[in-house]
Amino acid sequence: MSSRRVLHIIKCFALLCLRREIEGDPLPAELQRSIQRLSTFNLLRRERLRIRNLVRVLKKKERRWWIRPVFLDRKLAGAWHSLIPVMREFDQDAHFNFLRMTPASFDWLLDKVSPFLTKCSIRRETISAGERLAVTLRYLASGDSQVSISYLFRISDSAVSNIVLETTAVIWFVLKDEVFEPLSKEFWRKKASEFEALWNFPMCVGAMDGKHCFVQKFPMRGSECYNYKFGHSLILFAVCDAKYKFIVVDAGARGRESDGGVFERSDFGRLFNSHQLQLPSSVYNSTLKSSLPYVFTGDNAFPLDVHLMTPYDDSLKPEEIVFNYRLSRARRVVENAFGILAARFRIFRSNIIGSETLVQNIILATTALHNYHLIREDSIPPKQRVYLPAGFADVYKSNGKLKKGRWRNEDKTSERSIFKTLVNQEIPNPDDSTASAVRNKFMELFILDPLPWQYDELPDIF
């Protein structure tokens, strides 16, 4: 115990005694002895604790090394310093395959995230923002474990874990306003015109579905994330436009949640049910001689609504089969969007190992990167595109025949969509009669204004 601390306590005690004497109420001798004993006890107790901590620190084993020997040659053999510069200079196709980024798009994104990823330290050299971004993109693109990424870049696995967690959050933060447009009436009109031009479904503004993103079981979660596919997952709910770009994404619903419940409890579902999506008013259709509302498309897992069209089921009439065919053409885009996302970012091809926060960051960051690539390539001829080249997604030929996209060949298993097998679940809808009337109007429109090949698809019906 320092002598300064002892003198300070004695001084305080003397001042207390002097003050009480000046006030005419001196401390009794017994009370003074009690205070002295208590002060001595507390001082000895604190001193014992200080000595015990000092002994513990002295007995602590010294670290074997500050940096593992295998990581000391990071600037010589690490991928950021050796492999990526060569690909960047001589093989840009390999650069895209390695990071899912062309050099130009990587530089643009790096310029955006650098202010948030640049670190300063006076003790040792920090990892640059470019290397942090490359580590994260390779982890998302390959689906390899963080340990494998650590050996590739010559960075410790604990550092890789922190880098991925932080960088995915930064990617979402800097890209979300760039790649997701604000919802407005003019925005929905634009999406409806794209659906009508590309997929022959008028008044459609988006296709919705959900995807299971499989994860390693979270600790202390029990069966909260256990799904009907016999695995643990978090759910990506998304609305997609006619060009495979995500309009709305909602990540974090747990795998055991019911299919209709995911939509109802999502932020988009709450806005939809409260009529806050700013959908334009109905438009008069000259063929039907009546008005049609703007609608979304979904499968039977979603509740039929005035602004949400789902297919007919059970005993189908010929005209209902035609409607289901036309609806399926428009709804196929969201299935392709999920397929392209999983084909480009292989992290979704295996169980993601990490916390719930990390998995949500990964889902949001990859959807933002997906939109970023589609926006950059929108004005490029299909043959020159690298993220979504010609033939990579499903296309319909001029005769109406479907040609499946190459993304399907990269994964022979069925795409992990949340609303894939539970299509017969009945979800009550308080306004079902009006919604059914709207669906019947669309069915009538498809009969009155048919596609040249829609009956060829149904040879046994007509």
Side-chain angles (χ1 to χ4, degrees):
M1 184 185 310
S2 64
S3 58
R4 182 179 300 178
R5 183 180 300 176
V6 175
L7 292 174
H8 177 70
I9 295 175
I10 295 174
K11 180 181 178 181
C12 290
F13 178 69
L15 290 175
L16 175 63
C17 295
L18 180 61
R19 180 180 176 183
R20 294 293 295 268
E21 289 180 0
I22 293 174
E23 293 176 352
D25 185 19
L27 289 174
E30 184 178 352
L31 181 57
Q32 291 185 25
R33 287 193 297 272
S34 298
I35 293 177
Q36 291 173 356
R37 287 195 298 268
L38 181 60
S39 300
T40 303
F41 173 78
N42 289 334
L43 286 172
L44 292 175
R45 185 179 180 183
R46 286 196 294 268
E47 184 66 12
R48 184 180 64 177
L49 181 61
R50 188 183 69 83
I51 294 174
R52 182 183 299 175
N53 291 335
L54 181 61
V55 171
R56 186 182 293 114
V57 170
L58 293 175
K59 286 185 177 181
K60 186 177 180 180
K61 292 184 180 180
E62 294 184 1
R63 298 180 61 161
R64 287 186 295 172
W65 44 63
W66 184 259
I67 300 176
R68 275 184 174 274
V70 71
F71 299 144
L72 289 174
D73 60 347
R74 178 167 63 90
K75 289 191 175 182
L76 180 65
W80 173 249
H81 299 277
S82 61
L83 181 61
I84 294 178
V86 176
M87 293 189 295
R88 184 186 185 91
E89 183 70 23
F90 302 104
D91 194 345
Q92 295 192 5
D93 290 339
H95 186 280
F96 176 82
N97 190 47
F98 189 76
L99 296 179
R100 296 297 189 257
M101 282 274 178
T102 62
S105 59
F106 181 87
D107 292 341
W108 183 91
L109 182 59
L110 178 59
D111 184 63
K112 291 285 186 180
V113 302
S114 289
F116 303 96
L117 297 180
T118 303
K119 308 295 181 181
C120 297
S121 175
I122 60 175
R123 298 180 60 187
R124 52 184 173 174
E125 186 179 1
T126 60
I127 301 174
S128 66
E131 191 167 4
R132 289 171 177 270
L133 180 60
V135 166
T136 302
L137 292 177
R138 181 56 188 167
Y139 174 70
L140 299 177
S142 66
D144 292 341
S145 67
Q146 294 183 0
V147 175
S148 298
I149 299 296
S150 75
Y151 289 122
L152 177 63
F153 284 86
R154 300 295 198 272
I155 300 173
S156 67
D157 53 347
S158 60
V160 170
S161 177
N162 294 331
I163 288 171
V164 171
L165 178 63
E166 180 183 12
T167 308
T168 49
V170 170
I171 290 174
W172 169 252
F173 177 76
V174 301
L175 285 185
K176 62 180 180 179
D177 294 330
E178 297 275 350
V179 300
F180 290 94
E181 301 178 51
L183 305 182
S184 63
K185 292 184 178 181
E186 187 58 34
F187 171 80
W188 293 123
R189 291 191 183 97
K190 175 184 174 182
K191 297 304 175 185
S193 63
E194 291 175 354
F195 263 102
E196 185 170 7
L198 297 175
W199 302 105
N200 308 111
F201 199 110
M203 307 299 290
C204 178
V205 295
M208 62 177 66
D209 204 350
K211 173 183 173 61
H212 281 290
C213 302
F214 281 70
V215 300
Q216 181 175 281
K217 180 181 178 298
F218 299 127
M220 308 299 292
R221 287 298 185 187
S223 61
E224 289 183 13
C225 298
Y226 194 74
N227 57 61
Y228 69 94
K229 292 178 178 288
F230 309 107
H232 298 267
S233 64
L234 293 184
I235 297 170
L236 164 61
F237 170 79
V239 181
C240 184
D241 69 5
K243 296 182 178 180
Y244 313 112
K245 192 176 75 169
F246 294 116
I247 299 174
V248 176
V249 293
D250 188 286
R254 290 165 184 166
R256 71 173 297 175
E257 293 191 39
S258 64
D259 41 13
V262 173
F263 168 69
E264 295 292 336
R265 286 187 287 274
S266 67
D267 292 338
F268 176 82
R270 288 192 287 269
L271 292 174
F272 180 89
N273 292 326
S274 59
H275 306 287
Q276 297 180 12
L277 292 178
Q278 302 185 44
L279 289 175
S281 55
S282 301
V283 176
Y284 179 79
N285 185 278
S286 57
T287 303
L288 289 176
K289 301 187 183 310
S290 62
S291 297
L292 283 177
Y294 287 89
V295 297
F296 297 90
T297 58
D299 59 22
N300 277 2
F302 294 99
L304 179 64
D305 189 86
V306 173
H307 296 290
L308 176 55
M309 293 294 100
T310 60
Y312 292 96
D313 55 0
D314 298 332
S315 56
L316 299 179
K317 300 177 182 178
E319 58 272 18
E320 294 175 348
I321 297 179
V322 171
F323 173 85
N324 286 357
Y325 166 69
R326 297 286 292 272
L327 181 73
S328 176
R329 282 173 55 88
R331 205 183 63 80
R332 186 178 291 273
V333 292
V334 68
E335 177 186 349
N336 275 259
F338 288 146
I340 295 166
L341 181 72
R344 291 310 189 193
F345 299 101
R346 298 300 183 89
I347 189 70
F348 294 112
R349 294 289 176 84
S350 59
N351 290 350
I352 304 174
I353 302 175
S355 63
E356 260 187 281
T357 301
L358 174 61
V359 176
Q360 292 180 20
N361 287 354
I362 289 172
I363 295 172
L364 295 175
T366 51
T367 55
L369 291 170
H370 171 87
N371 280 8
Y372 166 66
H373 282 294
L374 295 183
I375 292 173
R376 284 182 64 90
E377 295 185 345
D378 192 36
S379 58
I380 301 176
K383 292 184 178 180
Q384 299 179 15
R385 298 172 182 173
V386 292
Y387 184 80
L388 185 58
F392 196 75
D394 293 349
V395 293
Y396 281 93
K397 299 181 180 180
S398 58
N399 60 358
K401 299 295 184 181
L402 173 66
K403 181 180 179 181
K404 293 186 176 181
R406 293 200 308 272
W407 68 264
R408 297 179 181 274
N409 300 329
E410 299 192 13
D411 186 11
K412 298 300 182 182
T413 60
S414 59
E415 181 59 23
R416 287 168 172 172
S417 171
I418 180 177
F419 307 128
K420 187 64 65 176
T421 59
L422 304 181
V423 296
N424 295 321
Q425 181 178 354
E426 296 184 0
I427 302 176
N429 183 25
D431 199 18
D432 183 67
S433 60
T434 305
S436 298
V438 172
R439 183 168 62 177
N440 291 336
K441 283 186 179 182
F442 276 99
M443 178 184 65
E444 183 181 353
L445 175 62
F446 297 151
I447 298 298
L448 296 176
D449 187 16
L451 296 176
W453 60 81
Q454 71 180 28
Y455 299 116
D456 297 337
E457 293 289 319
L458 309 167
D460 298 331
I461 302 301
F462 296 96

